[in-house]
Amino acid sequence: MKIELRFFASVREALGTAEETVEVPESVRTVGDVRAWLCRRGPAWQETLAQGKALRTAYNHQMCGPATRLSEQCEVAFFPPVTGG
């Protein structure tokens, strides 16, 4: 399945990329699976996207949790928690 990935703010800076289109393996079925799969890319990915790290996710522009199911050509975005004042 082909999906779009977006990375924002400090996540983008740490990974050195803002977006990419990827073909995920059949075993990657949820947003949480995408995160775990990306962590296997190497140390920077593992450190930035590690489970337990404060990180927000969105699926097709809607906030979501790790159990959200993927669909062909969907967009998954990763970004740090946002605070304002």
Side-chain angles (χ1 to χ4, degrees):
M1 170 182 349
K2 195 174 280 192
I3 66 171
E4 301 290 324
L5 297 174
R6 304 276 187 262
F7 306 102
F8 294 96
S10 61
V11 177
R12 177 188 62 230
E13 292 168 14
L15 300 177
T17 188
E19 60 186 63
E20 64 179 296
T21 301
V22 296
E23 184 81 30
V24 296
E26 285 186 32
S27 61
V28 176
R29 298 182 181 143
T30 66
V31 170
D33 292 343
V34 171
R35 186 174 179 173
W37 178 69
L38 290 172
C39 282
R40 293 193 290 269
R41 285 183 162 181
W45 295 84
Q46 172 61 41
E47 182 178 329
T48 304
L49 301 176
Q51 295 299 325
K53 186 137 183 153
L55 192 66
R56 305 289 294 187
T57 55
Y59 173 84
N60 290 338
H61 305 271
Q62 297 291 318
M63 298 302 293
C64 71
T68 302
R69 305 276 300 169
L70 301 176
S71 63
E72 185 74 32
Q73 297 296 321
C74 67
E75 178 186 285
V76 177
F78 296 92
F79 49 96
V82 178
T83 60

